RNA sequence: GCCGCAGUGGUGGAAUGGUAGACACGAAGGACUUAAAAUCCUUUGAACAGAAAUGUUCGUGCGGGUUCAAGUCCCGCCUGCGGUACCA
């Protein structure tokens, strides 16, 4: 009986489905393990062979944990709201819901063929109203909350209102957009409208004017990566900076907790570092500078307060509110011209062209420490969004200030001893202070500390921590996303009552923005409350739906809560999360924020969502090329192309095998090549190759369905793991797949001779036991460490050893089946049953290894002379150091080498090596 | 510029500081076969010597260092990939 993988895989996939083998429920008698894949966005292109890599790895881990006795939650779903579906809708007139469903079905079909152990009864789709009800619910909670810096958590906005009523802002330390100060009676005297606008300053989900990239032609705000050279990537329309009223989430309030939380996570250092950089904590000083002859001062932020004596000018960001206040009448025209010029430039242009520009405001500031007058300039190298949008410029010790000073011929005063600033600034934070009054003689570090004390004592400012992390802009002028549970009454936004959720996405005639520039929801009929108050027209961005889906899987059908207390107490958080690094500063920040917020509310029991995170590498494509001789239709084989002038042309990898071109298939591939001629080597056409991104245009896309059809799911799974380390990116090369396929055929062959099961019951020999236990040990530790490629190799070695021993004993084969079950579940199930087992192999027990079988009777020593190995020798493994030393030196061959030489030192590493130095 | 990761045969890749190249692909040779496929066996880092067993030398991007011993640790580079960037 041959290894008929098609029949076996169909049979077991049906069995698992019909028996709900992978359905899990809360089981207090077992420890839980939550293994999660980042859910996919189902695009129209379907899965290529790179997508399942992480899914296979997590599947192996899930199955392994289950065999170890864990109750494993391993769900899957779809991130199904988003831009591509909507773009497709605009182009083809198809409703995004239709194309999305179609794509999901296609994904499911492809996933099912690979034999994953997902509990599909828990599937979620972010575009399903039953799901996004809870996305909207979370938004309402954020709207109704503020962040209290005193107890470092989110609290109900009603508590803030009570504080205002009692004491005004006096006892309030809350995260806000703008520091406000008013008394209780001020508060009492405010209009409803005014009160709402004050509260908006504190809400965690808030509406505010924000600077955005807006594309008038597309009628939509675009993210930075959707723009190139000031033009939209889709369509090539101009993009401009615009201030728009947008919903935002106060993620910045959580900056410190997001940073601190990283220390407790089992993530890779590089990913944690990426998040740390993104959060960008920087500790410095906020200082007030007075404007000369005006009753006006403004604040700057600096991490280098020690250089205060080197300040020779000040710079305001063009958007700064102070620009207008400080500009003198004489400079007004020049400043206005500059501001207009800056406004014309897009963000992109500004970054591409870093020529120094700026204008003098006419005003002078007073250095609070030295009392000196210094000019105030305006330049776009200072960003309005960071710090206070104003800086003190120290050209001697900051390269940007230096370039500015050189360009406008401003003085440069070095304040660190011995540095040369004639050619460039000295940015390093070391050295001894000079030209700096009371700081002279201190090191930079001491001076920073001393300045902080000075600033505090003289009430010139305060110590301040700044974060680079910004609040997340949460509005999109799009159709295919979650509607906000928000309506407007007299221009003031109110959130819907929770009982009205979900607020379902309405039908619209078309998905383009309306003529009046409103988002597509402006086309919706009756898009208002029953009282006639209009709903918000924007929708939520892509990350809204993906920020809490891991919680929903715990209790996906609950319509009373996002997740029940019971389910959350049992499943807690994700033990293993698998996905790409591209989400490091997006999804992985937002979902940590979202989770912490829900934790503050007391809705969930863990404040970090993902305990361990692994980033699987990208699978790149391996493209093939043919070489056409210029101006002909003749193609020359790889190693002969040097003699001709050739053009390399991508050729479909599916008609190339081991870099040998299938010439007939090539002629039929495209009409152009019908009459192609070939210059062959050894009768074959050899193609060139290169590693590139896997994409249609490179003709290097390999579809998993095709591989499953030809080799089976088990082979695909094993091969994807065998390809290399999980976290490395590596090219897909179908050529090597025969190796693992052969392994499975051999495995099958150990059970069957012709149609007869040839398994016998005799006990295992010491050699067989050793081979088997070596494998158990290796695979167990490899799976725990996600080193799947080496465990596949270990299977091959073990199989070769057992087959050399002609072992076809039941107990050995049974163990092999269980070990292989996570990797190749179908064949393992089939053979496990052939051995007479009932039920499913998923309920078997992971075998334990016993060191006693692994002990070597002899141990190989390498004997080296002055570090170079010249001899090897077998000695009993438990021999002590001295005996090894004596035995080795007195042995015949070693004695020959040592003859007449004086031994200086003998080093014995137990069980490994004897080193003789002479 | 800054941060992170990597560099080992023809290819993908193995190596708790201890015989570098596991395992697999490919290639070459052989067996079986009318033939092919499939399967099995042998060889396969490089160079040199030898009829052969075998031996010698060189070899993990480059240059130094630590060590009896370095792909692995340290210092200085080079190259490639990824992230991020007027963040004061």
């Amino acid at each position: 009986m041959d290894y008929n993988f098609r029949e076996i895989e169909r049979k077991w996939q049906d069995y698992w489905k019909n028996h709900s083998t992978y359905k899990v429920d809360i089981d207090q008698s077992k420890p839980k393990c939550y293994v999660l894949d980042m859910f996919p966005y189902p695009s129209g292109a379907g899965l290529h062979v790179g997508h399942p890599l992480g899914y296979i790895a997590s599947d192996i881990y899930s199955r392994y944990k289950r065999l170890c006795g864990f109750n494993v939650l391993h769900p899957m779903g779809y991130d199904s709201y988003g831009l591509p579906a909507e773009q497709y809708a605009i182009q083809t007139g198809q409703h995004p819901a239709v194309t999305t469903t179609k794509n999901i079905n296609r994904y499911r079909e492809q996933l099912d063929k690979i034999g994953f152990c997902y509990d599909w009864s828990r599937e979620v789709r972010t575009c399903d109203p039953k799901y996004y009800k809870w996305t909207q619910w979370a938004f309402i909670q954020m709207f109704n909350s503020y962040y209290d810096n005193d107890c470092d958590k989110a609290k109900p906005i009603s508590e803030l209102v009570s504080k205002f009523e009692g004491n005004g802002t006096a006892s309030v330390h809350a995260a806000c957009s703008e520091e406000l100060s008013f008394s209780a009676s001020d508060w009492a005297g405010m209009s409803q409208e005014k009160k709402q606008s004050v509260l908006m300053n504190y809400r965690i989900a808030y509406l505010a004017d924000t600077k955005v990239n807006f594309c008038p032609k597309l009628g939509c705000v675009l993210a930075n990566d959707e723009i190139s050279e000031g033009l939209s990537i889709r369509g090539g329309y101009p993009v401009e900076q615009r201030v728009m009223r947008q919903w935002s989430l106060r993620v910045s309030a959580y900056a410190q907790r997001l940073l601190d939380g990283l220390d407790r996570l089992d993530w890779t250092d590089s990913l944690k570092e990426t998040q740390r950089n993104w959060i960008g904590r920087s500790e410095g000083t906020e200082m007030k500078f007075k404007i000369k002859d005006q009753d006006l001062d403004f604040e700057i932020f600096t991490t280098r307060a020690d250089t205060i004596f080197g300040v020779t000018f000040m710079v305001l960001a063009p958007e700064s509110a102070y620009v207008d206040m400080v500009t003198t009448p004489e400079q007004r025209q020049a400043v206005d011209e500059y501001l207009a010029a800056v406004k014309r430039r897009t963000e992109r242009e500004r970054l591409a062209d870093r020529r120094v520009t700026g204008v003098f405001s006419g005003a002078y500031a007073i250095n609070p420490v030295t009392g000196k007058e210094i000019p105030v300039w305006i330049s776009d190298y200072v960003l309005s969004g960071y710090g206070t949008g104003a800086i003190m410029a120290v050209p001697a010790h900051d390269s940007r200030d230096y370039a500015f000073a050189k360009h406008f011929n401003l003085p440069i005063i070095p304040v660190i001893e011995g540095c040369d600033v004639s050619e460039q600034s000295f940015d390093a934070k070391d050295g001894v202070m000079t030209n700096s009054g009371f700081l002279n003689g201190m090191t930079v570090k001491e001076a920073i500390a001393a300045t902080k004390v000075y600033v505090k004592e003289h009430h010139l400012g305060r110590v301040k921590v700044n974060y680079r992390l910004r609040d997340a802009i949460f509005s999109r002028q799009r159709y295919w996303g979650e509607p906000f549970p928000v309506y407007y009454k007299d221009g003031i936004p109110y959130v819907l009552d929770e009982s009205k959720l979900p607020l379902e996405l309405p039908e619209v005639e078309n998905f383009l923005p309306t003529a009046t520039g409103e988002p597509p929801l402006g086309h919706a009929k009756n898009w208002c409350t029953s009282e006639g108050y209009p709903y918000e027209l924007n929708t939520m961005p892509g990350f809204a739906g993906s920020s809490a889906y891991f919680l929903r899987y715990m209790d996906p059908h609950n319509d009373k809560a996002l997740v029940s207390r019971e389910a959350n107490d049992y499943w807690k958080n994700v033990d293993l999360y698998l996905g790409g690094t591209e989400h490091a500063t997006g999804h992985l920040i937002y979902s940590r924020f979202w989770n912490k917020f829900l934790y503050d509310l007391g809705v969930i029991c863990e404040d970090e969502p993902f305990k361990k995170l692994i980033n699987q590498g990208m699978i790149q494509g391996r493209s093939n090329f043919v070489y056409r001789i210029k101006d002909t239709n003749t193609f020359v084989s790889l190693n002969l192309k040097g003699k001709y002038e050739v053009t390399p042309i991508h050729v479909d990898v599916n008609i190339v095998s081991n870099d040998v071109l299938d010439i007939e298939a090539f002629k039929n591939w495209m009409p152009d090549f019908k009459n192609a001629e070939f210059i062959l080597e050894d009768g074959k056409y050899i193609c060139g190759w290169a590693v590139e991104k896997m994409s249609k245009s490179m003709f290097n896309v390999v579809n998993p369905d095709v591989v499953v059809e030809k080799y089976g799911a088990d082979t695909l799974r094993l091969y994807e793991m065998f390809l290399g380390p999980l976290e490395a990116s590596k090219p897909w090369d179908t050529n090597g797949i025969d190796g693992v396929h052969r392994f499975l055929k051999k495995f099958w062959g150990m059970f069957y001779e012709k149609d007869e099961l040839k398994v016998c019951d005799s006990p295992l020999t010491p050699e067989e036991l050793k081979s088997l236990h070596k494998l158990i040990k290796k695979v167990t530790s490899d799976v725990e460490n996600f080193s799947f490629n080496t465990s596949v190799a270990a299977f091959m070695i073990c199989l070769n050893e057992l087959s050399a021993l002609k072992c076809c004993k039941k107990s050995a084969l049974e163990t092999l089946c269980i070990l292989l079950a996570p990797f190749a579940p179908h064949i393992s199930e089939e053979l496990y049953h052939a051995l007479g087992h009932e039920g499913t192999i998923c309920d078997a027990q992971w075998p334990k290894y016993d060191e006693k079988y692994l002990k070597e009777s002899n141990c190989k020593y390498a004997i080296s002379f002055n570090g170079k190995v010249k001899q090897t020798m077998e000695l009993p493994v438990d021999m002590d150091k001295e005996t090894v030393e004596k035995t080795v030196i007195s042995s015949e061959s070693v004695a020959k080498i040592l003859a007449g030489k004086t031994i200086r030192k003998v080093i014995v590493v137990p069980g490994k090596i004897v080193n003789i130095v002479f």
Side-chain angles (χ1 to χ4, degrees):
Chain A
M1 191 155 57
D2 284 338
Y3 169 39
N4 186 342
F5 54 85
R6 284 191 197 96
E7 197 179 292
I8 294 165
E9 291 176 0
R10 198 180 321 118
K11 172 178 159 189
W12 286 104
Q13 283 168 13
D14 287 349
Y15 178 96
W16 296 331
K17 198 171 167 191
N18 296 336
H19 291 76
S20 301
T21 303
Y22 302 121
K23 192 169 182 325
V24 282
D25 288 301
I26 293 175
D27 179 350
Q28 301 291 351
S29 70
K30 284 185 185 171
K32 70 97 188 185
C33 184
Y34 186 177
V35 181
L36 182 64
D37 293 299
M38 288 186 187
F39 65 169
Y41 178 85
S43 78
L47 295 170
H48 67 60
V49 105
H51 295 114
L53 180 76
Y55 304 157
I56 293 170
S58 66
D59 197 68
I60 291 173
Y61 191 72
S62 302
R63 288 172 180 273
Y64 162 76
K65 280 300 208 187
R66 175 162 174 170
L67 290 168
C68 291
F70 286 83
N71 192 26
V72 180
L73 176 57
H74 187 44
M76 185 43 108
Y78 306 97
D79 186 12
S80 48
Y81 263 144
L83 217 79
E86 183 170 326
Q87 288 291 342
Y88 194 71
I90 290 170
Q91 283 158 14
T92 64
Q94 288 190 73
H95 196 282
V98 174
T99 53
T100 299
T101 307
K102 208 169 114 199
N103 292 346
I104 286 178
N105 292 340
R106 168 96 180 102
Y107 264 57
R108 178 65 190 273
E109 207 178 285
Q110 286 186 297
L111 289 172
D112 279 348
K113 285 185 180 159
I114 305 174
F116 292 122
C117 63
Y118 294 123
D119 176 358
W120 283 107
S121 74
R122 290 174 183 263
E123 180 195 299
V124 301
R125 299 180 185 192
T126 55
C127 67
D128 178 352
K130 291 197 206 71
Y131 176 88
Y132 68 67
K133 173 180 177 177
W134 299 104
T135 311
Q136 294 173 333
W137 173 84
F139 176 85
I140 292 175
Q141 310 311 309
M142 291 182 194
F143 181 84
N144 287 329
S145 300
Y146 78 105
Y147 194 86
D148 186 328
N149 284 329
D150 287 332
C151 40
D152 241 325
K153 63 185 275 196
K155 288 191 162 183
I157 197 93
S158 55
E159 288 187 23
L160 186 67
V161 172
S162 317
K163 285 192 182 188
F164 287 160
E165 285 167 353
N167 265 322
T169 50
S171 60
V172 172
H173 297 106
C176 56
S177 308
E178 189 188 341
E179 290 288 347
L180 300 177
S181 174
F182 54 79
S183 67
S185 59
D186 290 342
W187 172 258
M190 286 179 199
S191 66
Q192 170 67 8
E193 194 184 349
K194 177 68 185 162
K195 279 184 179 168
Q196 286 302 324
S197 98
V198 167
L199 289 178
M200 205 50 105
N201 187 50
Y202 296 92
R203 295 183 192 275
I204 288 181
Y206 64 94
L207 193 58
D209 293 323
T210 320
K211 202 170 92 178
V212 293
N213 301 306
F214 186 79
C215 177
K217 199 87 183 176
L218 292 175
C220 185
V221 168
L222 296 174
N224 282 331
D225 57 310
E226 292 168 318
I227 305 163
S228 172
E229 322 256 315
L231 300 174
S232 69
I233 287 182
R234 264 174 204 275
Y237 306 119
V239 172
E240 58 186 49
Q241 303 284 300
R242 213 186 247 194
V243 172
M244 286 175 67
R245 206 150 175 77
Q246 302 268 305
W247 286 100
S248 291
L249 302 185
R250 209 176 295 283
V251 180
S252 61
Y254 282 83
Q256 190 61 46
R257 279 169 66 189
L258 288 169
L259 188 64
D260 294 341
L262 290 173
D263 297 334
R264 303 192 301 272
L265 296 178
D266 185 8
W267 295 12
T268 60
D269 288 338
S270 78
L271 197 91
K272 287 200 234 181
E273 203 50 33
T274 304
Q275 288 213 340
R276 284 193 192 104
N277 291 342
W278 187 257
I279 295 166
R281 182 183 203 274
S282 98
E283 212 178 294
T285 314
E286 213 167 70
M287 244 187 279
K288 271 192 178 129
F289 278 66
K290 261 191 73 65
I291 299 292
K292 186 193 163 197
D293 299 333
Q294 281 191 61
D295 182 23
L296 186 64
D297 50 32
F298 64 89
E299 287 187 320
I300 60 96
F301 175 77
T302 180
T303 53
R304 291 298 302 274
D306 58 304
T307 58
I308 184 84
F309 289 88
V311 178
T312 56
F313 57 101
M314 312 293 293
V315 188
L316 297 174
E319 300 84 358
S320 169
Y322 291 109
V323 168
D324 198 44
M325 300 184 222
V326 302
T327 302
T328 60
E330 306 81 69
Q331 286 299 104
R332 175 66 64 185
Q333 196 189 343
V335 168
D336 286 347
E337 276 167 18
Y338 181 69
L339 294 184
V342 166
K343 206 170 176 191
R344 271 200 302 276
R345 299 220 298 176
T346 62
E347 191 70 6
R348 188 92 193 173
E349 285 165 350
R350 202 175 66 79
L351 291 173
D353 172 20
R354 297 230 183 139
R355 265 179 310 187
V356 176
T357 63
V359 65
F360 178 45
S361 71
Y364 288 84
I366 312 288
N367 185 323
V369 179
T370 64
K372 264 196 222 164
E373 287 178 16
I374 40 182
V376 179
W377 286 69
I378 296 151
S379 172
D380 64 355
Y381 84 90
V382 172
L383 304 178
S384 61
Y386 185 78
T388 60
I391 60 155
M392 62 178 214
V394 185
H397 303 290
D398 182 287
S399 52
R400 297 154 300 179
D401 297 345
Y402 187 89
F404 194 82
K406 280 278 176 189
H407 189 263
F408 289 106
N409 222 356
L410 295 160
I412 297 168
I413 307 174
V415 293
I416 293 173
E417 263 175 29
C419 65
D420 174 19
V421 294
S422 58
E423 291 298 322
Q424 55 179 21
S425 63
F426 180 80
D427 292 16
K429 282 190 190 178
D430 60 318
V432 175
M433 306 306 296
T434 181
N435 296 334
S436 292
F438 70 97
L439 297 173
N440 281 340
M442 293 185 197
T443 63
V444 168
K445 266 193 181 160
E446 291 162 354
I448 291 177
T451 323
K452 277 183 188 168
V453 172
Y454 183 92
V455 164
K456 221 172 164 182
E457 280 175 357
H458 293 76
H459 305 290
L460 304 175
R462 57 186 175 135
V463 172
K464 175 88 196 283
V465 177
N466 250 324
Y467 299 92
R468 208 189 73 117
L469 186 70
R470 306 293 166 79
D471 289 346
I473 298 178
F474 203 62
S475 303
R476 294 293 182 271
Q477 295 70 40
R478 288 283 169 182
Y479 172 71
W480 193 233
E482 299 85 350
F484 282 83
V486 167
Y487 63 93
Y488 290 86
K489 195 163 127 188
D490 305 326
I492 301 171
Y494 294 92
V495 288
L496 288 181
D497 189 86
E498 282 173 27
S499 64
K500 300 264 171 57
L501 298 183
L503 175 61
E504 292 201 31
L505 186 65
E507 291 297 326
V508 294
E509 290 155 20
N510 80 68
F511 312 107
L512 285 167
T514 61
T516 49
E518 286 166 346
L521 284 187
H523 291 292
K525 291 196 181 82
N526 302 322
W527 187 233
C528 56
T529 64
S530 48
E531 296 85 16
Y533 298 122
Y535 286 134
E536 169 72 56
L537 297 180
N538 285 295
T539 55
M540 298 188 195
F543 69 83
S546 59
S547 288
Y549 76 111
F550 47 89
L551 294 169
R552 191 62 183 160
Y553 280 137
M554 296 176 187
D555 197 6
H557 307 298
N558 189 337
D559 61 359
K560 300 282 181 296
L562 166 65
V563 52
S564 73
R565 192 83 237 182
E566 188 204 6
N568 185 245
D569 278 345
Y570 182 74
W571 296 112
K572 292 196 162 64
N573 55 6
V574 177
D575 294 279
L576 174 69
Y577 196 27
L578 251 118
T581 22
E582 67 272 22
H583 299 109
T585 54
H587 164 62
L588 288 173
I589 292 267
Y590 298 129
S591 52
R592 287 182 64 217
F593 154 76
W594 203 284
N595 190 86
K596 282 177 189 295
F597 171 73
L598 295 176
Y599 173 79
D600 286 354
L601 291 194
V603 173
I604 54 170
C605 64
E606 292 284 343
D607 86 320
E608 282 291 344
F610 316 118
K611 277 199 277 200
K612 184 175 176 67
L613 183 120
I614 291 189
N615 297 118
Q616 87 273 20
M618 272 239 293
I619 291 201
Q620 299 143 304
R622 186 180 186 279
S623 313
N624 276 114
F625 297 94
V626 290
Y627 301 94
R628 177 157 63 189
I629 299 174
K630 215 169 176 187
D631 305 323
T632 70
N633 205 14
T634 303
F635 295 84
V636 57
S637 187
L638 176 69
N639 299 300
L640 304 173
K641 75 177 165 56
K643 299 174 198 158
Y644 308 89
E645 197 179 333
V646 295
T647 318
I649 297 170
H650 276 97
V651 59
D652 188 345
V653 292
N654 296 298
I655 58 168
V656 177
S657 164
N658 282 326
D659 295 335
V660 176
L661 181 70
D662 179 336
I663 290 176
E664 283 314 305
F666 180 72
K667 285 182 174 173
N668 294 326
W669 184 44
M670 283 188 187
D672 278 9
F673 304 141
K674 193 79 209 162
N675 302 311
E677 292 183 26
F678 302 89
I679 300 174
L680 307 178
E681 50 184 307
D682 303 330
K684 289 184 278 192
Y685 188 96
I686 312 286
C687 299
W689 62 273
V691 173
E692 298 173 305
K693 190 175 145 57
M694 198 174 272
S695 87
K696 270 187 185 162
S697 61
M698 313 274 193
F699 299 107
N700 60 8
V701 175
V702 180
N703 186 311
D705 302 6
V706 173
V707 178
V708 168
E709 178 55 29
K710 194 165 172 202
Y711 296 98
D714 286 336
T715 300
L716 174 75
R717 293 168 61 107
L718 275 175
Y719 187 55
E720 293 236 2
M721 292 301 105
F722 187 65
L723 222 46
L726 182 58
E727 303 189 64
S729 60
K730 55 231 166 220
W732 176 269
D733 182 358
T734 308
N735 290 335
I737 202 167
D738 288 322
V740 288
H741 191 61
R742 259 173 226 151
F743 160 76
L744 289 178
K745 280 200 273 193
K746 271 191 225 164
F747 187 52
W748 184 268
M750 290 187 75
F751 290 73
Y752 290 103
E753 182 87 63
K754 305 258 163 51
D755 279 355
E756 288 291 307
L757 195 66
K758 61 179 183 184
V759 179
C760 68
D761 271 327
S762 15
L764 299 178
T765 64
E767 273 174 307
E768 290 162 349
L769 279 166
K770 185 180 161 188
S771 180
L772 207 57
H773 282 252
K774 208 168 70 185
L775 181 69
I776 300 170
K777 187 177 180 180
K778 178 79 177 144
V779 173
T780 305
S781 82
D782 277 355
V783 173
E784 293 280 0
N785 294 310
F786 307 97
S787 176
F788 300 117
N789 55 329
T790 49
S791 39
V792 177
F795 278 116
M796 292 176 177
I797 295 167
C798 181
L799 201 68
N800 283 339
E801 284 172 359
L802 293 182
S803 100
L805 295 168
K806 305 223 179 323
C807 172
C808 50
K809 295 169 185 169
K810 189 177 170 187
S811 67
L813 296 177
E814 204 173 270
T815 307
L816 278 179
C817 280
I818 300 171
L819 290 175
L820 194 62
F823 295 83
H826 311 85
I827 189 174
S828 304
E829 281 274 22
E830 177 68 21
L831 292 174
Y832 189 68
H833 277 257
L835 294 175
H837 290 278
E838 296 293 321
T840 162
I841 197 171
C842 303
D843 296 323
Q845 254 205 335
W846 189 257
K848 293 210 161 32
Y849 64 91
D850 192 333
E851 285 286 351
K852 81 178 175 215
Y853 300 119
L854 296 175
K855 275 213 174 134
E856 306 270 345
S857 53
N858 284 308
C859 171
K860 211 168 192 181
Y861 280 90
I863 300 156
S864 74
F865 298 90
N866 291 341
K868 300 209 166 179
V869 173
K870 303 235 174 162
Q871 284 284 323
T872 58
M873 189 180 284
E874 299 231 337
L875 295 172
V877 74
D878 44 6
M879 197 184 255
D880 66 87
K881 247 176 119 167
E882 282 81 61
T883 324
V884 172
E885 198 172 306
K886 273 185 218 152
T887 316
V888 169
I889 294 170
S890 61
S891 85
E892 209 181 313
S893 55
V894 176
K896 215 159 103 188
I897 297 169
L898 290 174
K901 289 170 177 139
T902 313
I903 296 169
R904 281 198 291 147
K905 211 182 199 176
V906 179
I907 295 147
V908 178
V909 179
K912 286 288 183 184
I913 201 159
V914 179
N915 198 343
I916 302 168
V917 187
F918 55 85

